[in-house]
Amino acid sequence: MSDTPFGFGLPPEEPEDGDNGKKKGGDQGGGSDRGQGPANPFGFGAGAGGGDNPFAAMFGSMNPADLGAAFQQLGQMLSYEGGPVNWDMAKDIARQTVAQGTADGTKDASVTDAERSAVQEAVRLADLWLDGVTSLPSGSTSAVAWSRAEWVEATVPVWKELVDPVAERVGAAMGGVLPEEMQAMAGPLLGMMRSMGGAMFGTQIGQAVGVLAGEVVGSTDIGLPLGPSGKAALLPVNIDALGSGLGVPKEEVRLYLALREAAHQRLFAHVPWLRSHLFGAVEGYARGIKVDTAKLEDAVGQLDPSHPEQLQEALQQGMFQPEDSPEQKAALARLETALALVEGWVDAVVHAAAEPHLPSAGALRETLRRRRASGGPAEQTFATLIGLELRPRRLRDASRLWASLTDARGAEGRDALWEHPDMLPTAADLDDPDGFVHREHLDFSELDKMLGEAAGRGGGHAGEKAGEKAEDKPEEPGQDQGKGQGKDSGE
C-alpha cells in the first residue's frame, strides 16, 4: 500500500522522495508509487486555485497559510453522512465560483437601491402590459433584484429536487457493484465511497450552479420556477452584460426581460398543476436512466484503497445511459413538449405585449430565442449531471401554435387550454398546428363532469351516477379527440 493514504499525496510545496528533488506539484495523481495518474483525480475541475490542484475548487490555492484549513475541510468532506449530494459543499463552491466572476471579467456586485427600484418599476409596467394580452392575472406578489450570490441561495432548494433522484441512483450503484464478500468487510470503505460520491456531486453541481448564476437574468430562465413562488426576480448585473453588445437601450432590455419573468410568474401561479407536471416529467425521465455499472464493476474489481481516483475516473466516463424503451421515450417526449409549451406561450404572449411599446421587441425576441436554444456551458454540465438538457427544442413551433390560437380564439380561449394538462397540445399537434387550432375541443364544464364521474368509479363507490354512465365509458375525455391517449403513449 502507498505511504500516501487514500492517494492524496503530499502538499505541493514539499519535495517527494525518489522524485529527483521535483515537487509534488508535478504529479497530481496521488500515485507517488506509480509515477503516473490523472492530473485531476477527483474531477473537481479548475477552480480558484487552478486546474493543477485537485482540491482547488474547494480549497483555493494550497499555500502554507491555509493548508490547515484545507485539510480540515477535507476531513469534513470525508465525514459527510447526509444525502446523495453534499449540498453545503455545493452551495459553498457555487458562491466561490460566483466570486471569481465570469469569463468576460464581469464581477458580481451588491444590488443598489437604484437598481432595485428600476426592477420593481419594470415588473410593475410589465404586468400592466401583460394585462392586455392574457387572461391570466398577475402572479407576482413582489419584485426583487438579486445579485448572482443571492440567486444561488434562492435556487439551491429547487436544484436539490432536480438532482437528488439521479444522485441517489448513482450512490446506490456505487455500493451495489461491490461483491457480496467485499461488502461484508468494507463498511468503512463504503462509507468513504458515499462521502466521496456526495462530495463529487456537490462539487460539480456547485460549479455548474455558480457558472449558471453568471448567465441567468431571472428566476425562470430554464423554463422551471427556480425561485420562491410569486417572487419575480431579475439580476441587474447579468442584464447589463446581456445588453452590452446589442445596441439596445438598457431600459428596453430590462423591460423585455421583466415581461418574460412576469409572464412565467403568471403561468406558474395560476396553473396549479403545472409545476408538479414539469417536475414529475423530470423525475419520470430520471427513473429511466441507467447507471453504467459495467465500468463501476471493472473499477471496483481492481480497487486499490490508496487510489480512489479510479472510481472517479469510471464515474466520469459515461455515467448515464437513458433506457431505449417506449416508457423512457414517452417520458422524454412529455418533458420536451411541456418545456416547449411553457416557453412558447411566454414567447408569444411577451411579443404581443412588447411589440406596441418597445421598438427593439423583435430583435430582443430573436436574441432570447437563440440564447435559449443554444444553451451554455452550465446547461451542458447539468446534462452530464442529471442526464438531461433542460431546453425547449421546439420553442418556435410552440410559439407559432400559441399565436395561431390567439388569432383563432382570442387570448381567453388560448389561455383556457391551461385548465387541464389533457387539453394542451401534444408533440403531434406541434407538427400540425393548424389541425389543432381548428379542431373542436370539449367544453370545460363537460370535461370536469366526466372527470368527476371517472374519479367516482375509480374510488370504488358504485354510486348511482357512475352506474348511469357506465354505458358511456368508451367515450371518456380525449378519446374522440385523440388527445388523452396520445399523452400517455408518448405523444
Side-chain angles (χ1 to χ4, degrees):
M1 182 176 292
S2 168
D3 292 333
T4 56
F6 302 114
F8 292 145
L10 297 172
E13 289 76 20
E14 300 182 18
E16 186 171 5
D17 293 339
D19 198 21
N20 298 324
K22 294 180 181 179
K23 295 199 174 188
K24 178 78 172 88
D27 178 12
Q28 292 290 342
S32 59
D33 55 343
R34 290 175 147 197
Q36 62 182 1
N40 191 342
F42 295 98
F44 289 138
D52 292 335
N53 188 335
F55 301 110
M58 293 180 291
F59 303 144
S61 59
M62 280 276 228
N63 56 57
D66 60 11
L67 190 58
F71 278 103
Q72 182 179 6
Q73 189 165 352
L74 175 61
Q76 293 172 351
M77 177 186 75
L78 292 176
S79 63
Y80 172 72
E81 296 180 353
V85 178
N86 189 330
W87 285 103
D88 290 337
M89 178 177 288
K91 187 185 296 186
D92 288 345
I93 291 176
R95 295 290 297 262
Q96 292 171 21
T97 304
V98 164
Q100 295 168 24
T102 53
D104 62 2
T106 304
K107 296 288 187 179
D108 194 20
S110 299
V111 176
T112 65
D113 290 339
E115 289 172 331
R116 189 173 293 106
S117 297
V119 166
Q120 292 171 348
E121 178 61 22
V123 173
R124 185 194 66 80
L125 185 56
D127 267 330
L128 286 177
W129 292 355
L130 288 170
D131 284 339
V133 296
T134 175
S135 63
L136 298 180
S138 174
S140 306
T141 57
S142 63
V144 295
W146 283 341
S147 66
R148 292 167 179 168
E150 289 172 323
W151 182 90
V152 169
E153 293 286 345
T155 60
V156 161
V158 177
W159 290 121
K160 192 175 188 296
E161 288 187 57
L162 288 171
V163 177
D164 268 355
V166 178
E168 187 69 52
R169 294 178 64 84
V170 176
M174 288 171 66
V177 298
L178 287 173
E180 291 185 8
E181 60 274 13
M182 190 173 181
Q183 291 185 25
M185 300 182 296
L189 177 60
L190 288 174
M192 188 192 76
M193 290 173 65
R194 284 192 294 268
S195 297
M196 291 300 298
M200 178 191 71
F201 265 104
T203 303
Q204 292 179 329
I205 292 166
Q207 289 174 340
V209 170
V211 173
L212 194 59
E215 301 174 355
V216 296
V217 294
S219 69
T220 54
D221 281 30
I222 67 168
L224 296 174
L226 297 180
S229 177
K231 187 171 287 188
L234 295 177
L235 282 71
V237 64
N238 289 353
I239 291 175
D240 291 346
L242 174 64
S244 61
L246 298 181
V248 177
K250 182 194 299 186
E251 293 75 14
E252 285 196 38
V253 177
R254 185 192 301 118
L255 264 172
Y256 193 86
L257 297 175
L259 281 165
R260 288 184 54 83
E261 179 74 8
H264 277 103
Q265 293 293 337
R266 289 182 182 230
L267 202 56
F268 288 115
H270 299 291
V271 181
W273 53 264
L274 182 57
R275 187 183 190 279
S276 60
H277 180 75
L278 287 169
F279 279 78
V282 173
E283 186 176 354
Y285 181 81
R287 281 197 302 268
I289 293 175
K290 295 186 300 183
V291 179
D292 188 357
T293 56
K295 291 190 175 91
L296 284 176
E297 289 173 353
D298 291 341
V300 171
Q302 306 173 22
L303 185 61
D304 180 350
S306 66
H307 296 287
E309 69 272 10
Q310 297 170 359
L311 180 62
Q312 172 69 17
E313 293 169 8
L315 290 175
Q316 288 187 314
Q317 296 172 3
M319 188 185 303
F320 301 113
Q321 291 183 332
E323 288 187 357
D324 188 19
S325 66
E327 293 79 11
Q328 180 71 344
K329 291 178 180 177
L332 180 60
R334 281 194 296 271
L335 179 57
E336 290 186 339
T337 301
L339 286 172
L341 290 174
V342 169
E343 291 297 286
W345 184 88
V346 168
D347 180 78
V349 167
V350 166
H351 183 69
E355 192 176 31
H357 304 286
L358 300 179
S360 303
L364 289 170
R365 182 190 201 187
E366 187 60 27
T367 296
L368 269 296
R369 278 180 165 184
R370 291 180 179 179
R371 183 174 183 264
R372 187 69 179 90
S374 62
E379 283 196 22
Q380 295 167 12
T381 301
F382 279 113
T384 301
L385 289 173
I386 65 175
L388 178 66
E389 292 181 348
L390 296 172
R391 190 177 306 165
R393 300 180 186 278
R394 306 195 63 182
L395 186 154
R396 294 177 187 271
D397 294 335
S399 181
R400 282 193 292 269
L401 188 147
W402 288 118
S404 298
L405 283 168
T406 307
D407 294 339
R409 306 181 188 182
E412 187 171 353
R414 174 202 64 206
D415 297 341
L417 293 178
W418 291 106
E419 288 285 338
H420 193 277
D422 285 346
M423 302 301 296
L424 289 177
T426 65
D429 294 324
L430 294 180
D431 295 328
D432 182 22
D434 289 338
F436 179 84
V437 169
H438 299 293
R439 183 186 307 154
E440 291 187 6
H441 293 274
L442 290 172
D443 180 77
F444 291 119
S445 59
E446 184 66 19
L447 175 64
D448 290 339
K449 177 181 176 183
M450 285 188 284
L451 286 174
E453 292 167 355
R457 291 195 297 271
H461 299 291
E464 180 180 353
K465 182 178 292 186
E468 292 174 354
K469 290 291 181 179
E471 69 275 10
D472 297 331
K473 189 172 183 180
E475 298 180 7
E476 288 182 349
Q479 200 163 31
D480 57 345
Q481 308 294 332
K483 292 185 57 55
Q485 293 179 339
K487 296 190 81 67
D488 291 336
S489 61
E491 303 171 339

